[in-house]
Amino acid sequence: MAFDFKKEYKEFYLPAAKPSIVAVPPMNYIAVRGQGDPNQEDGEYKTAIGLLYGIAFTIKMSKMGDHRIEGYFDYVVPPLEGFWWQDGVTGIDYAHKERFKWISVIRLPDFVTKEDFDWAVEEASRKKKMYFSDVEFFCYDEGLCVQCMHLGAYDDEPATVDRMHRFMEEQGYALDITDQRMHHEIYLSDARKVAPEKLKTVIRHPIRLK
C-alpha cells in the first residue's frame, strides 16, 4: 500500500476543527512563487499549480523509468499547500485578493534530494515541452504554530482564524507572522469538485511565547 502522508502524519494534515498548538519540523517542498488573485482565470496561480503537479508526478513515477532515487518508496502525492501574505498587512485581508503574494508548494518525501529534484525538472521539461524553470526546491522550517481544520468556503476563514488567535493567547502565545513566517493553508479538498461549504482546509499560523 502506498505511503499516505495525510494518514501517517495526522497531527500535521488532519487536525481537529478546534485550535491546537503544533511544532512542525523542517520539510522540503516543490515550490512556485507568484502574486495576484488565485481565482483569476489563466492567472499566475493556476499556472503554478500545473507546474507543481508536473514535477510531483515526475518524481512519483520515476520508478517506471531509468532514474533510480535512493530510498524511494511508493507514496501518495501530498496535498497542495500555500504560504500567503500581503505587503503591509499582518495576516490576510480577504477583501483584496489581488494583493496576494504566495508560495504554492507540494511536500517532497525525505528521500528526494536536490539532485533528484533537478533531474525531475529537466525530465518534465523534456517530456511535457513546458517551461519549469520557475519551480524551486524549497526548504522550510515552520516551527511552533497554532492550527485548526477549517470547514467551509475560503472566504469564511476569518472566523476560524479569530478562534485560533483567541486560543493561542489563552495558552500564553503571541502571533509571530513575519517576512519569513507566513499564513499557511493545506488544501484537503478539490475546490473544483467539492461544494464550498464542504471544503476542508488546514489553517496554520506561526506563534511564539509571550
Side-chain angles (χ1 to χ4, degrees), residues 114-166:
K114 178 62 164 57
E115 290 71 26
D116 295 319
F117 173 85
D118 291 342
W119 165 83
V121 170
E122 183 178 339
E123 181 75 356
S125 300
R126 181 179 65 82
K127 284 191 172 182
K128 300 179 183 297
K129 310 299 182 186
M130 290 175 60
Y131 182 74
F132 282 95
S133 61
D134 287 340
V135 183
E136 63 181 273
F137 186 86
F138 180 59
C139 306
Y140 192 66
D141 186 356
E142 195 161 15
L144 194 64
C145 296
V146 59
Q147 68 177 7
C148 188
M149 181 72 77
H150 171 71
L151 305 175
Y154 301 131
D155 286 345
D156 294 335
E157 288 182 5
T160 298
V161 169
D162 285 344
R163 288 194 292 123
M164 290 166 53
H165 290 181
R166 288 197 303 271

Side-chain angles (χ1 to χ4, degrees), residues 5 12 16 19 38 55 78 102 113 130 139 148 153 167 176 188 192 207:
F5 287 85
F12 303 134
I55 301 302
W102 38 263
T113 66
M130 290 175 60
C139 306
C148 188
F167 174 79
D176 194 31
L188 302 179
R192 299 169 300 177
I207 59 175

Side-chain angles (χ1 to χ4, degrees), residues 100-112:
F100 275 149
K101 294 187 177 180
W102 38 263
I103 308 173
S104 290
V105 302
I106 295 176
R107 182 179 178 178
L108 286 167
D110 291 342
F111 59 72
V112 178

Side-chain angles (χ1 to χ4, degrees), residues 8-203:
E8 298 296 332
Y9 298 109
K10 292 181 180 179
E11 67 272 30
F12 303 134
Y13 297 101
L14 297 172
K18 60 181 181 180
S20 60
I21 306 298
V22 62
V24 185
M27 298 181 189
N28 295 329
Y29 299 89
I30 309 164
V32 177
R33 299 170 188 262
Q35 59 186 0
D37 188 339
N39 299 314
Q40 181 182 346
E41 288 298 328
D42 299 322
E44 283 188 36
Y45 186 76
K46 287 183 169 55
T47 299
I49 303 312
L51 294 174
L52 290 176
Y53 279 105
I55 301 302
F57 279 99
T58 297
I59 293 171
K60 174 178 168 59
M61 299 310 296
S62 64
K63 62 182 181 179
M64 306 298 291
D66 295 330
H67 185 82
R68 292 288 181 263
I69 298 178
E70 185 176 353
Y72 179 97
F73 54 79
D74 196 19
Y75 63 98
V76 177
V77 171
L80 178 69
E81 309 182 36
F83 298 97
W84 300 83
W85 72 97
Q86 292 154 313
D87 290 339
V89 176
T90 299
I92 292 293
D93 179 357
Y94 293 83
H96 291 283
K97 296 184 177 66
E98 75 280 0
R99 299 177 186 172
F100 275 149
K101 294 187 177 180
W102 38 263
I103 308 173
S104 290
V105 302
I106 295 176
R107 182 179 178 178
L108 286 167
D110 291 342
F111 59 72
V112 178
T113 66
K114 178 62 164 57
E115 290 71 26
D116 295 319
F117 173 85
D118 291 342
W119 165 83
V121 170
E122 183 178 339
E123 181 75 356
S125 300
R126 181 179 65 82
K127 284 191 172 182
K128 300 179 183 297
K129 310 299 182 186
M130 290 175 60
Y131 182 74
F132 282 95
S133 61
D134 287 340
V135 183
E136 63 181 273
F137 186 86
F138 180 59
C139 306
Y140 192 66
D141 186 356
E142 195 161 15
L144 194 64
C145 296
V146 59
Q147 68 177 7
C148 188
M149 181 72 77
H150 171 71
L151 305 175
Y154 301 131
D155 286 345
D156 294 335
E157 288 182 5
T160 298
V161 169
D162 285 344
R163 288 194 292 123
M164 290 166 53
H165 290 181
R166 288 197 303 271
F167 174 79
M168 74 177 186
E169 289 172 358
E170 291 168 358
Q171 300 299 312
Y173 295 97
L175 190 65
D176 194 31
I177 288 180
T178 68
D179 290 345
Q180 303 299 320
R181 306 189 75 202
M182 298 157 281
H183 173 97
H184 185 183
E185 298 182 0
I186 303 174
Y187 308 105
L188 302 179
S189 306
D190 187 338
R192 299 169 300 177
K193 302 175 181 178
V194 177
E197 65 272 14
K198 295 184 178 179
L199 291 171
K200 293 183 178 181
T201 308
V202 179
I203 302 177

